[in-house]
Structure formats: structure tokens, C-alpha cells
């Protein structure tokens, strides 16, 4: 049968448009944080650097029924480097639907790439949002990276396998200082760009081959 989390995911996201569903899943895989609130609920926390306020506001606007109030401008001093980090934050309302997504993507309290990731990569738009959050194009070598953060090597392999099965994209898992990244050589970086270009906001066009 269909795993419970997939059944629940499909049920709760019926209330969302396909665009909203794709943005929500893409940003959960990327920069967003699902914070537990009570036994069954969670809230979505969005944070973007000061220069990317418009991107945060775009997400909030697209997912407008999840949010109330206004984004907050914050400053944080790094304890080691003493550098000041300026950023914008907006948190959604707490709701059981986000609680279900938290149990899928944070089963043990930390962000995890689920074994059945390809189920959630419903459209290239999910991948586009994930890439706008955590992707990078290295112009000199014409290669792309998708940073996965502090996941296990197995989870990184799951992500690589899901992209290969779902979109015929071949990537290599690279170990980074914190966790892992997927590396796309030039031909695969071009394939990735063709797949997601139509969904990439103009401000992130620098993350694609020209």
C-alpha cells in the first residue's frame, strides 16, 4: 500500500494549489525550518539574508493563507567571527497540516531527506525552489551544486537517486564541511537549467548557465 505519510501529505495538500504545494515542499527541502508547536502542530519559519527580502516576501505572498502579520528585520552576531548577520524572518501560523510535514521531514527532530523523496518531487517547480534556496552555479567550470546541508551520506545518495529516477539528472555526492552537496557536471548542469529555468525568479538567473 501507499505509505501513511504519502497518504497524509496528499490529503493535507489538497487544500493548496499545485503552485503552493510545490513552493512549500521546495522550501522545506531548502532554507525553511519546520518548528514543532505542541504535540501535533508545527509552524513554517522562513529566513533570508537582508538582500533577499523580496524572495522571502514572494514565498509569503504565494503561501498567504499560512501567514499573518509582517516579516521582521533581525540582526545576529556570529559568536566566533563576531560578524553581524542581517536577515528577514517570517513565521507561519501553527497548524496540524504543517505538523504532518514535520513528521515526514523531521522524523527525529532534525531535517531529513525522506527515503521516498521522489514522491515529493511532483514537479520541476519543487526542484526550482529548492535550487533557488540552496543551489549554486560555478561559472568558470560551468557546473552546478545543490547544497543539502547537514544530512547523512545515505540521505544525499537518496536525493541523488531520486533526481536520477524522476528527472534523468545525474549528480555526484560531495562531502562538504557541513554535510553534503550534489555536484552536476557541465552537461547535467545544462539539463538541470533547461528543466527549471521557467520557474526561476529573475533575481536568481545568475544561478543558471547564461
Amino acid at each position: 500500500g501507499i505509505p501513511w505519510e504519502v497518504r497524509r501529505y496528499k490529503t493535507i495538500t489538497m487544500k493548496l494549489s499545485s503552485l503552493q504545494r510545490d513552493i512549500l515542499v521546495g522550501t522545506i527541502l531548502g532554507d525553511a525550518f519546520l518548528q514543532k508547536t505542541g504535540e501535533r502542530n508545527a509552524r513554517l519559519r522562513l529566513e533570508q539574508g537582508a538582500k533577499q527580502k523580496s524572495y522571502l516576501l514572494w514565498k509569503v505572498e504565494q503561501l498567504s493563507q499560512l501567514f499573518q502579520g509582517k516579516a521582521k528585520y533581525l540582526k545576529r552576531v556570529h559568536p566566533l567571527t563576531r560578524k553581524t548577520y542581517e536577515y528577514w524572518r517570517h513565521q507561519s501560523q501553527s497548524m496540524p497540516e504543517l505538523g504532518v510535514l514535520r513528521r515526514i521531514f523531521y522524523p527525529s527532530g532534525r531535517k531529513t531527506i525522506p527515503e521516498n523523496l521522489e514522491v515529493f518531487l511532483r514537479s520541476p517547480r519543487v526542484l526550482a525552489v529548492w535550487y533557488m534556496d540552496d543551489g549554486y552555479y560555478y561559472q568558470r567550470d560551468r557546473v552546478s551544486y545543490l547544497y543539502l546541508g547537514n544530512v547523512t551520506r545515505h540521505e544525499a545518495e537518496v536525493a541523488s537517486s531520486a533526481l536520477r529516477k524522476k528527472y534523468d539528472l545525474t549528480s555526484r555526492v560531495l562531502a562538504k564541511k557541513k554535510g553534503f552537496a550534489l555536484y552536476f557536471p557541465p552537461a547535467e548542469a545544462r539539463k538541470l537549467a533547461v528543466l527549471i529555468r521557467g520557474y526561476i525568479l529573475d533575481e536568481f538567473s545568475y544561478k543558471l548557465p547564461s
Side-chain angles (χ1 to χ4, degrees):
I2 302 172
W4 72 267
E5 67 268 28
V6 176
R7 288 200 307 271
R8 290 287 286 130
Y9 162 72
K10 288 182 174 177
T11 301
I12 63 167
T13 54
M14 278 169 62
K15 299 175 185 176
L16 301 174
S17 69
S18 58
L19 170 63
Q20 290 174 320
R21 188 161 60 225
D22 293 346
I23 291 171
L24 181 59
V25 173
T27 201
I28 288 170
L29 286 166
D31 284 341
F33 174 64
L34 280 171
Q35 180 184 14
K36 186 177 179 180
T37 54
E39 275 304 301
R40 311 296 292 172
N41 292 7
R43 70 164 58 97
L44 183 70
R45 182 196 295 165
L46 302 178
E47 289 184 353
Q48 298 291 156
K51 293 178 181 176
Q52 292 187 333
K53 181 187 178 185
S54 62
Y55 182 43
L56 181 141
L57 294 181
W58 175 78
K59 287 180 181 176
V60 170
E61 185 182 347
Q62 300 301 325
L63 301 170
S64 57
Q65 71 262 52
L66 305 186
F67 290 89
Q68 289 181 338
K70 293 185 176 181
K72 290 181 179 176
Y73 173 73
L74 300 164
K75 288 184 177 182
R76 184 168 63 219
V77 178
H78 193 284
L80 298 178
T81 64
R82 308 308 299 167
K83 281 186 179 177
T84 301
Y85 177 55
E86 301 174 45
Y87 61 103
W88 288 88
R89 173 190 289 172
H90 206 328
Q91 298 191 132
S92 78
Q93 302 169 68
S94 172
M95 53 188 70
E97 292 86 353
L98 293 175
V100 171
L101 287 168
R102 191 177 196 280
R103 290 191 288 281
I104 293 169
F105 289 97
Y106 292 75
S108 60
R110 68 165 184 86
K111 187 180 288 188
T112 301
I113 293 173
E115 292 286 338
N116 51 1
L117 174 64
E118 60 202 273
V119 172
F120 302 97
L121 297 175
R122 198 191 62 83
S123 149
R125 190 160 49 197
V126 177
L127 180 56
V129 175
W130 191 6
Y131 187 78
M132 284 192 287
D133 276 20
D134 290 333
Y136 179 72
Y137 180 66
Y138 193 45
Q139 194 80 39
R140 192 193 72 184
D141 295 343
R142 294 177 296 179
V143 299
S144 289
Y145 297 87
L146 181 60
Y147 292 93
L148 305 176
N150 201 14
V151 300
T152 65
R153 177 173 283 279
H154 173 71
E155 288 168 48
E157 297 286 0
V158 166
S160 180
S161 175
L163 292 179
R164 187 172 63 252
K165 289 177 190 170
K166 187 79 177 178
Y167 297 120
D168 192 30
L169 283 171
T170 302
S171 58
R172 199 165 82 231
V173 172
L174 296 183
K176 292 292 179 183
K177 279 183 184 176
K178 292 182 179 179
F180 295 89
L182 299 185
Y183 163 83
F184 300 87
E188 297 302 315
R190 289 194 297 274
K191 276 166 63 177
L192 171 63
V194 168
L195 188 67
I196 65 176
R197 190 182 296 279
Y199 304 112
I200 296 290
L201 301 178
D202 288 346
E203 65 197 270
F204 292 106
S205 58
Y206 69 91
K207 290 191 173 193
L208 297 175
S210 54

